[in-house]
Amino acid sequence: MTRTVYVNGEYLPETEAKVSIFDRGFLMADAVYEVTSVLDGKLIDFEGHAVRLKRSLDELDMSEPCTKEELLEIHRKLVELNGIDEGLVYLQVSRGSDGDRDFVFPSADTPPTLVLFTQNKPGLADNPAARKGAKIISIEDIRWGRRDIKTVQLLYPSMGKMMAKKAGCDDAWLVEDGFVTEGTSNNAYFVKAGKIVTRPLSNNILHGITRKAVMRLAKEAQMEVEERLFTIDEAKAADEAFTTSASAFVMPVVEIDGVALGDGTPGPIARRLREIYLDEARKTAI
Ligand code: PDD
C-alpha cells in the first residue's frame, strides 16, 4: 500500500513527495530528526520528542518549521491516514535550501524542510526479539562530539549495525576513552547485584526520551539506579544488560562480545522494566 507522507505543508502519496537535491539535509546532513512510537494508534511521549526537537533546532540555530500543536496534528493525521496501530512516526527538519551548495548557512529566512512519514510495525510491543534478547559487539565511538543533538549523521551508527550483523550479532555498543557511550541507536545499561548503571547525560550521548521515562519508572519501582561512566568489561561481568529507545522500548541484552550475561537469557530487571514501560506508555499515549 502506498503511504501518505507529509512534506512542507502537503499530505502526498510517498511516490509523489519531493525534496530539492540542493536540500542541506541531503548535501550536508544539516538536519535533525525524531522518531516517535505508536501503540494502539496513539503517540508515545509526543511531548518529550517535541521538546527535544526544539532543543536540537536551537542548538543548530535552525528555525522551527511550525508550532508544537501543528506538529501534533500532523503526527496524528499521518497515523490515521496510514492506519497505524503499532509503528513509528519519523520526522525530519533540515535547514532547507537556497538552491545551491554552499558551506555557509543560507539566510535565516530560508524555510526549513519538514518531512514526516509513518512506519507500520505490527508486533512492536510484543516483539519476539525482546523475548530472545540482543547480542551485541563493542566498537570504538568515532562519532562527532555533539551526540546530544539528534542529527541525521547516521553513517557510523549504520556501519556499526552492519559490523554487528557481520559478527552474527544484533547491535553494537560504542566505546570512547575506555567507557561505553551508548548503542548505535539506543541508550545502554547494565545491572549488577540489582543496581542499574548507565552513563550520565552529557554532549557525548543522546538524551533518550525512553531513557528519561525508564529511569523515572525504575526509581518509582524502588530499583536502584546509578549514573556513572562504565567500561565494557564491567558490562560483560554484569548480571544483565539492556538498551532503551523509542523504536525498541526496553530491549534486553544477553551477550556482549561473545560473553553471555547471566544465563544468557533476558534478565528479570530488563523484562520487568519493559513491562512497566509499555504499560505506562499505553496509559499516557495521546
Ligand atoms: N534512535 N541514542 C541514540 C544514538 C539514538 O539514535 C537513540 C534513538 C537513542 C534513544 O533515544 P529515544 O529513547 O529518545 O528513542 C539513544 C532512534 C530510535 C532512531 O534513530 O531510530
Side-chain angles (χ1 to χ4, degrees):
M1 197 183 88
T2 309
R3 268 177 292 197
T4 300
V5 303
Y6 177 94
V7 185
N8 294 329
E10 287 188 284
Y11 294 88
L12 298 163
E14 63 186 41
T15 46
E16 285 170 33
K18 289 191 179 66
V19 173
S20 165
I21 62 157
F22 300 113
D23 192 275
R24 288 182 60 90
F26 180 59
L27 294 180
M28 307 258 176
D30 188 358
V32 298
Y33 76 107
E34 284 295 331
V35 176
T36 303
S37 46
V38 177
L39 292 176
D40 311 320
K42 289 184 185 165
L43 301 163
I44 306 304
D45 217 335
F46 173 80
E47 178 68 22
H49 290 284
V51 168
R52 186 173 62 190
L53 174 66
K54 167 90 169 78
R55 180 178 180 278
S56 294
L57 292 169
D58 285 349
E59 291 295 315
L60 295 175
D61 258 336
M62 238 187 251
S63 50
E64 279 174 85
C66 60
T67 66
K68 190 166 77 180
E69 291 68 34
E70 285 164 336
L71 272 188
L72 176 59
E73 195 191 316
I74 300 166
H75 276 75
R76 282 179 161 162
K77 191 156 173 191
L78 282 183
V79 166
E80 191 194 319
L81 288 172
N82 293 300
I84 306 295
D85 182 51
E86 287 194 3
L88 304 168
V89 181
Y90 178 86
L91 169 157
Q92 179 168 322
V93 185
S94 84
R95 203 182 302 274
S97 153
D98 58 4
D100 205 353
R101 179 176 183 267
D102 195 337
F103 281 82
V104 174
F105 289 177
S107 64
D109 58 2
T110 304
T113 301
L114 174 62
V115 169
L116 285 94
F117 57 82
T118 54
Q119 292 183 286
N120 192 25
K121 305 253 181 207
L124 193 64
D126 189 21
N127 184 353
R131 285 196 290 276
K132 226 170 108 213
K135 294 181 180 180
I136 61 152
I137 57 165
S138 61
I139 59 172
E140 199 190 337
D141 195 341
I142 58 166
R143 298 172 301 162
W144 81 322
R146 288 304 305 273
R147 301 150 195 166
D148 57 311
I149 308 173
K150 199 163 170 58
T151 75
V152 300
Q153 300 175 59
L154 297 176
L155 179 55
Y156 189 65
S158 255
M159 289 170 72
K161 281 256 196 229
M162 294 312 294
M163 288 182 230
K165 264 186 176 276
K166 258 196 193 146
C169 292
D170 305 292
D171 204 355
W173 279 11
L174 308 171
V175 178
E176 183 175 55
D177 300 330
F179 298 106
V180 174
T181 50
E182 57 187 335
T184 57
S185 60
N186 42 57
N187 292 117
Y189 312 72
F190 75 86
V191 183
K192 185 76 180 176
K195 190 197 282 178
I196 301 165
V197 177
T198 196
R199 189 182 176 104
L201 295 181
S202 68
N203 289 354
N204 296 338
I205 62 168
L206 186 74
H207 302 188
I209 302 304
T210 320
R211 177 189 187 278
K212 191 174 177 190
V214 166
M215 299 277 274
R216 176 175 51 78
L217 292 167
K219 286 173 195 162
E220 281 172 18
Q222 317 299 327
M223 294 176 185
E224 202 183 339
V225 181
E226 188 183 6
E227 292 181 69
R228 65 166 172 86
L229 300 185
F230 65 94
T231 65
I232 201 74
D233 283 341
E234 278 184 277
K236 278 188 216 169
D239 301 325
E240 52 176 301
F242 61 93
T243 61
T244 62
S245 68
S247 51
F249 311 123
V250 178
M251 176 62 66
V253 167
V254 295
E255 187 186 295
I256 302 176
D257 290 336
V259 177
L261 306 187
D263 64 2
T265 63
I269 290 188
R271 279 189 284 125
R272 179 92 189 101
L273 280 174
R274 184 177 174 88
E275 225 175 81
I276 300 175
Y277 175 78
L278 282 170
D279 191 42
E280 161 161 300
R282 285 187 198 281
K283 279 189 196 141
T284 55
I286 60 167

